[in-house]
Amino acid sequence: MPEQRFKILDLFAGPGGLDVAAHFLGIPSMGIEWDRNACLTRYQAGLDTIHGDVSKVRRERFSEIPEDFNVLAGGPPCQSFSVAGKGRGRGQIEDLRKLMNLMKALVNDHENPEIDKELGKLDPRAALVLEPLRWLLKRNAEYGKPYDAIILEQVPTALPVWQEYKEILESLTGELEYECAEPHVLRTERYGVPQTRQRAIFIARRKKADFGSVPELPKGIFRSFDPRAPYERSVDAPVQEQMQFDAHLDSAEPEPWRSMHTALKAAGPFLPHAEGTTALPENFVVVSNYGSGGDPKKRGRRSSHFPAFTVTGKVSRNVILVDDKDHGRFSIPEAGALQTFPGNYPWSGNDRSQQVGNAVPPLFAMHVLGAALEVPLPEDPIESALKWEPASEERAAELRERGCGDEDRCTDLCPPQDEVTKK
């Protein structure tokens, strides 16, 4: 394909999961990010960034986005989709219906101020789910050039919203005519991510963008992790016994999922270690703090030879046991490696656990981008993404000046910091 056929705009960029994936695929990218700390990480990583609110940038700074950024990606914050979860109240289900009706209203008049008034009656974060559609319609109105591809990802409860996106985009005509893959919830361990994380994925392609095939979601190349399987269930069995699980795998099946130990060992040469600490041993057990109601006896356990629990913003609370003794917690670089960030990724600012947990795993994003844009993956995607080249001080300052308005501080262009904290 022509060089740099694609350039990606990520509306909710976080510390750079999708940008890292794009980098290793050779695709330029730019991110819009609200959180100051995530932006500090992005600047140190050398990632092009606008520190701003997605809605405000669309309204007031749209011209700052180069016209040749022709792929739109985004994952609105998880809280936006609480209305879509199972077991929700009638009022929340009604909010979801209102949200979907407003999506349809946008197609008819994307600048209608009444839409914003109606959105103001819902959870403020719910409005963010409409931003990808609003950016698409605005780009078409401004340039007569819709995005050639749209890629959306979020927690599984976002699936009904992505299905609504599919229905709306496939109803459009002319330059805005799209083909969409059927949205699905994908398991990230199927793509080499050493954790059991699930994401709802949506992919759309503009019909006149000359893609060579119908859009499809990426096919997994590893086995799903099933904690109910007999050879994977015995978390209290000796590690030596657990390591024999490979004998139970059918050679005709896909490759086994990747374990925490495998991932940390591969990233090991690039992982920094705080003074007085060393790399984790091969055999350890992670005790999760989730779903326990405060009772340590109910906390889940995973051997180092299994994938990790979903890495969230509370990953630093998980206890690591070695020989049944408390061995501390995952460091930020180790938690990042479980998210498949390069071992030496330059995490910066505060709330680093939250940054790590909020990010899309880069290895998973590589598979999604590759499938969405028909871009081939590196011969060994895992090996190719173990090391990062951080920005020089001069480059980081240049990126911050562009993203914040000053080379070493936020300015009036940036979201007020008290609002960032609340967000």
Side-chain angles (χ1 to χ4, degrees):
M1 296 190 303
E3 186 177 358
Q4 295 191 353
R5 174 184 173 185
F6 302 111
K7 292 186 177 182
I8 300 173
L9 174 65
D10 187 2
L11 297 185
F12 303 91
L18 186 137
D19 300 80
V20 170
H23 169 80
F24 288 120
L25 292 177
I27 305 173
S29 66
M30 171 186 288
I32 301 174
E33 175 51 39
W34 171 282
D35 181 69
R36 173 182 178 273
N37 294 304
C39 286
L40 293 178
T41 293
R42 293 179 61 85
Y43 299 145
Q44 294 300 319
L47 301 177
D48 208 353
T49 304
I50 291 179
H51 182 197
D53 174 89
V54 166
S55 301
K56 187 175 182 180
V57 173
R58 170 178 52 80
R59 294 191 304 268
E60 302 175 8
R61 303 173 63 184
F62 191 83
S63 61
E64 294 181 31
I65 309 299
E67 188 176 335
D68 59 349
F69 275 73
N70 60 344
V71 175
L72 186 69
C78 302
Q79 299 95 323
S80 306
F81 302 107
S82 61
V83 295
K86 296 181 180 178
R88 302 294 176 180
R90 181 175 298 178
Q92 291 174 308
I93 297 300
E94 183 60 30
D95 281 351
L96 178 60
R97 293 196 185 101
K98 291 179 181 177
L99 195 66
M100 292 182 173
N101 287 334
L102 290 172
M103 291 173 68
K104 295 173 182 176
L106 276 174
V107 174
N108 297 322
D109 184 1
H110 72 97
E111 297 286 5
N112 188 342
E114 294 300 317
I115 293 177
D116 287 305
K117 290 182 181 179
E118 290 300 314
L119 284 172
K121 300 175 183 177
L122 305 177
D123 182 333
R125 296 166 297 192
L128 296 176
V129 73
L130 302 187
E131 283 300 327
L133 180 59
R134 302 184 90 160
W135 277 78
L136 165 64
L137 296 171
K138 180 151 188 173
R139 176 182 165 88
N140 186 56
E142 293 284 331
Y143 303 135
K145 296 178 181 178
Y147 293 101
D148 289 337
I150 300 171
I151 303 154
L152 305 176
E153 64 86 26
Q154 246 314 321
V155 294
T157 51
L159 191 60
V161 183
W162 294 168
Q163 290 167 337
E164 188 71 14
Y165 259 90
K166 179 178 186 294
E167 180 179 331
I168 288 174
L169 291 188
E170 289 186 337
S171 71
L172 302 178
T173 58
E175 292 296 325
L176 282 165
E177 191 173 4
Y178 282 87
E179 291 181 297
C180 306
E182 186 65 36
H184 277 292
V185 174
L186 303 182
R187 301 172 63 102
T188 62
E189 77 266 25
R190 296 292 312 278
Y191 305 89
V193 179
Q195 63 170 296
T196 49
R197 187 186 195 98
Q198 298 184 51
R199 305 303 280 180
I201 301 298
F202 171 77
I203 292 174
R205 294 179 186 158
R206 193 165 67 93
K207 283 189 175 181
K208 293 186 178 180
D210 296 326
F211 285 95
S213 62
V214 174
E216 294 182 351
L217 297 185
K219 293 180 172 58
I221 57 176
F222 292 84
R223 285 188 62 177
S224 297
F225 175 77
D226 184 359
R228 298 168 298 180
Y231 53 86
E232 295 168 354
R233 188 170 55 215
S234 54
V235 295
D236 294 321
V239 171
Q240 292 79 4
E241 179 182 331
Q242 294 174 1
M243 291 173 63
Q244 301 305 313
F245 73 88
D246 280 345
H248 297 270
L249 295 180
D250 185 340
S251 60
E253 292 286 335
E255 294 184 52
W257 28 258
R258 294 179 69 227
S259 69
M260 289 182 275
H261 164 66
T262 300
L264 293 176
K265 181 180 179 181
F270 313 107
L271 285 172
H273 297 288
E275 186 176 352
T277 63
T278 58
L280 283 168
E282 178 177 345
N283 301 324
F284 61 86
V285 172
V286 176
V287 183
S288 172
N289 70 314
Y290 310 128
S292 63
D295 184 352
K297 295 181 180 179
K298 294 182 180 179
R299 292 175 181 172
R301 296 185 172 210
R302 291 270 176 94
S303 161
S304 55
H305 299 283
F306 299 160
F309 296 101
T310 300
V311 174
T312 72
K314 299 179 181 179
V315 63
S316 60
R317 298 184 185 180
N318 291 345
V319 177
I320 300 172
L321 299 179
V322 175
D323 296 329
D324 290 328
K325 296 179 181 178
D326 190 333
H327 194 74
R329 309 292 186 269
F330 286 120
S331 68
I332 294 301
E334 287 169 338
L338 296 179
Q339 279 275 59
T340 65
F341 277 87
N344 64 330
Y345 198 68
W347 300 101
S348 303
N350 297 320
D351 295 331
R352 297 183 188 184
S353 291
Q354 197 66 49
Q355 291 185 52
V356 173
N358 286 349
V360 59
L363 182 59
F364 176 62
M366 286 173 68
H367 284 272
V368 173
L369 290 177
L373 304 179
E374 296 182 343
V375 173
L377 271 61
E379 184 174 347
D380 187 340
I382 295 171
E383 183 70 24
S384 69
L386 292 176
K387 183 181 179 182
W388 189 256
E389 189 65 41
S392 65
E393 291 185 12
E394 293 78 10
R395 175 61 175 161
E398 175 189 337
L399 288 169
R400 186 162 189 178
E401 184 171 15
R402 184 187 307 174
C404 293
D406 190 278
E407 65 180 15
D408 59 9
R409 67 181 184 89
C410 287
T411 68
D412 292 341
L413 292 174
C414 304
Q417 292 310 291
D418 58 340
E419 292 185 23
V420 171
T421 303
K422 292 176 184 178
K423 195 72 171 182

